[in-house]
PDB file of all heavy atoms in Angstrom:
ATOM      1  N   ASP A 452      71.996 184.775 149.965  1.00 85.00           N
ATOM      2  CA  ASP A 452      70.678 184.118 150.010  1.00 85.00           C
ATOM      3  C   ASP A 452      69.848 184.483 148.793  1.00 85.00           C
ATOM      4  O   ASP A 452      69.139 183.640 148.221  1.00 85.00           O
ATOM      5  CB  ASP A 452      69.928 184.520 151.285  1.00 85.00           C
ATOM      6  CG  ASP A 452      70.445 183.788 152.514  1.00 85.00           C
ATOM      7  OD1 ASP A 452      71.235 182.845 152.338  1.00 85.00           O
ATOM      8  OD2 ASP A 452      70.056 184.161 153.641  1.00 85.00           O
ATOM      9  N   ASP A 458      69.816 179.903 152.735  1.00 87.00           N
ATOM     10  CA  ASP A 458      69.207 180.088 154.053  1.00 87.00           C
ATOM     11  C   ASP A 458      70.254 180.475 155.093  1.00 87.00           C
ATOM     12  O   ASP A 458      70.176 180.061 156.252  1.00 87.00           O
ATOM     13  CB  ASP A 458      68.516 178.794 154.505  1.00 87.00           C
ATOM     14  CG  ASP A 458      67.199 178.569 153.779  1.00 87.00           C
ATOM     15  OD1 ASP A 458      66.400 179.516 153.701  1.00 87.00           O
ATOM     16  OD2 ASP A 458      66.991 177.441 153.290  1.00 87.00           O
ATOM     17  N   LEU A 459      71.234 181.261 154.701  1.00 88.00           N
ATOM     18  CA  LEU A 459      72.284 181.616 155.650  1.00 88.00           C
ATOM     19  C   LEU A 459      71.757 182.498 156.781  1.00 88.00           C
ATOM     20  O   LEU A 459      72.146 182.319 157.946  1.00 88.00           O
ATOM     21  CB  LEU A 459      73.442 182.319 154.926  1.00 88.00           C
ATOM     22  CG  LEU A 459      74.246 181.455 153.928  1.00 88.00           C
ATOM     23  CD1 LEU A 459      75.456 182.238 153.424  1.00 88.00           C
ATOM     24  CD2 LEU A 459      74.688 180.138 154.562  1.00 88.00           C
ATOM     25  N   LEU A 460      70.885 183.464 156.446  1.00 85.00           N
ATOM     26  CA  LEU A 460      70.322 184.337 157.484  1.00 85.00           C
ATOM     27  C   LEU A 460      69.525 183.524 158.498  1.00 85.00           C
ATOM     28  O   LEU A 460      69.678 183.707 159.710  1.00 85.00           O
ATOM     29  CB  LEU A 460      69.425 185.408 156.858  1.00 85.00           C
ATOM     30  CG  LEU A 460      70.077 186.725 156.438  1.00 85.00           C
ATOM     31  CD1 LEU A 460      69.037 187.662 155.853  1.00 85.00           C
ATOM     32  CD2 LEU A 460      70.778 187.392 157.615  1.00 85.00           C
ATOM     33  N   LYS A 461      68.682 182.656 157.999  1.00 87.00           N
ATOM     34  CA  LYS A 461      67.877 181.817 158.887  1.00 87.00           C
ATOM     35  C   LYS A 461      68.771 180.907 159.726  1.00 87.00           C
ATOM     36  O   LYS A 461      68.545 180.733 160.931  1.00 87.00           O
ATOM     37  CB  LYS A 461      66.903 180.984 158.060  1.00 87.00           C
ATOM     38  CG  LYS A 461      65.994 180.101 158.897  1.00 87.00           C
ATOM     39  CD  LYS A 461      65.041 179.324 158.008  1.00 87.00           C
ATOM     40  CE  LYS A 461      64.141 178.416 158.852  1.00 87.00           C
ATOM     41  NZ  LYS A 461      63.216 177.625 158.013  1.00 87.00           N
ATOM     42  N   THR A 462      69.787 180.334 159.101  1.00 90.00           N
ATOM     43  CA  THR A 462      70.708 179.450 159.823  1.00 90.00           C
ATOM     44  C   THR A 462      71.416 180.197 160.943  1.00 90.00           C
ATOM     45  O   THR A 462      71.530 179.704 162.069  1.00 90.00           O
ATOM     46  CB  THR A 462      71.743 178.852 158.856  1.00 90.00           C
ATOM     47  OG1 THR A 462      71.070 178.125 157.826  1.00 90.00           O
ATOM     48  CG2 THR A 462      72.712 177.935 159.589  1.00 90.00           C
ATOM     49  N   LEU A 463      71.872 181.412 160.645  1.00 86.00           N
ATOM     50  CA  LEU A 463      72.559 182.224 161.659  1.00 86.00           C
ATOM     51  C   LEU A 463      71.628 182.563 162.811  1.00 86.00           C
ATOM     52  O   LEU A 463      72.011 182.474 163.986  1.00 86.00           O
ATOM     53  CB  LEU A 463      73.099 183.497 161.013  1.00 86.00           C
ATOM     54  CG  LEU A 463      73.803 184.483 161.959  1.00 86.00           C
ATOM     55  CD1 LEU A 463      74.997 183.817 162.642  1.00 86.00           C
ATOM     56  CD2 LEU A 463      74.253 185.727 161.188  1.00 86.00           C
ATOM     57  N   LYS A 464      70.411 182.942 162.487  1.00 86.00           N
ATOM     58  CA  LYS A 464      69.449 183.304 163.526  1.00 86.00           C
ATOM     59  C   LYS A 464      69.167 182.116 164.448  1.00 86.00           C
ATOM     60  O   LYS A 464      69.163 182.262 165.680  1.00 86.00           O
ATOM     61  CB  LYS A 464      68.146 183.777 162.870  1.00 86.00           C
ATOM     62  CG  LYS A 464      67.089 184.212 163.874  1.00 86.00           C
ATOM     63  CD  LYS A 464      65.828 184.693 163.153  1.00 86.00           C
ATOM     64  CE  LYS A 464      64.760 185.076 164.175  1.00 86.00           C
ATOM     65  NZ  LYS A 464      63.506 185.501 163.528  1.00 86.00           N
ATOM     66  N   VAL A 465      68.945 180.940 163.886  1.00 88.00           N
ATOM     67  CA  VAL A 465      68.658 179.757 164.694  1.00 88.00           C
ATOM     68  C   VAL A 465      69.895 179.345 165.494  1.00 88.00           C
ATOM     69  O   VAL A 465      69.792 178.966 166.668  1.00 88.00           O
ATOM     70  CB  VAL A 465      68.177 178.593 163.793  1.00 88.00           C
ATOM     71  CG1 VAL A 465      68.012 177.313 164.608  1.00 88.00           C
ATOM     72  CG2 VAL A 465      66.865 178.952 163.103  1.00 88.00           C
ATOM     73  N   PHE A 466      71.066 179.436 164.894  1.00 88.00           N
ATOM     74  CA  PHE A 466      72.316 179.071 165.568  1.00 88.00           C
ATOM     75  C   PHE A 466      72.529 179.937 166.806  1.00 88.00           C
ATOM     76  O   PHE A 466      72.909 179.445 167.873  1.00 88.00           O
ATOM     77  CB  PHE A 466      73.478 179.218 164.592  1.00 88.00           C
ATOM     78  CG  PHE A 466      74.805 178.781 165.152  1.00 88.00           C
ATOM     79  CD1 PHE A 466      75.044 177.467 165.502  1.00 88.00           C
ATOM     80  CD2 PHE A 466      75.836 179.717 165.331  1.00 88.00           C
ATOM     81  CE1 PHE A 466      76.271 177.067 166.015  1.00 88.00           C
ATOM     82  CE2 PHE A 466      77.061 179.329 165.847  1.00 88.00           C
ATOM     83  CZ  PHE A 466      77.277 178.002 166.182  1.00 88.00           C
ATOM     84  N   ARG A 479      66.548 171.805 164.693  1.00 88.00           N
ATOM     85  CA  ARG A 479      65.517 172.816 164.418  1.00 88.00           C
ATOM     86  C   ARG A 479      65.410 173.122 162.931  1.00 88.00           C
ATOM     87  O   ARG A 479      64.333 173.448 162.438  1.00 88.00           O
ATOM     88  CB  ARG A 479      65.828 174.106 165.177  1.00 88.00           C
ATOM     89  CG  ARG A 479      65.634 174.004 166.677  1.00 88.00           C
ATOM     90  CD  ARG A 479      65.522 175.392 167.283  1.00 88.00           C
ATOM     91  NE  ARG A 479      65.549 175.361 168.728  1.00 88.00           N
ATOM     92  CZ  ARG A 479      65.430 176.441 169.501  1.00 88.00           C
ATOM     93  NH1 ARG A 479      65.300 177.642 168.920  1.00 88.00           N
ATOM     94  NH2 ARG A 479      65.459 176.340 170.809  1.00 88.00           N
ATOM     95  N   LEU A 480      66.516 173.047 162.231  1.00 88.00           N
ATOM     96  CA  LEU A 480      66.510 173.351 160.792  1.00 88.00           C
ATOM     97  C   LEU A 480      66.201 172.117 159.942  1.00 88.00           C
ATOM     98  O   LEU A 480      66.042 172.235 158.718  1.00 88.00           O
ATOM     99  CB  LEU A 480      67.871 173.923 160.379  1.00 88.00           C
ATOM    100  CG  LEU A 480      68.219 175.306 160.926  1.00 88.00           C
ATOM    101  CD1 LEU A 480      69.652 175.675 160.565  1.00 88.00           C
ATOM    102  CD2 LEU A 480      67.267 176.363 160.390  1.00 88.00           C
TER     103      LEU A 480
END
Side-chain angles (χ1 to χ4, degrees):
D452 283 350
D458 284 312
L459 293 187
L460 271 181
K461 181 179 179 181
T462 301
L463 178 59
K464 181 179 178 182
V465 174
F466 184 65
R479 289 198 189 182
L480 292 174

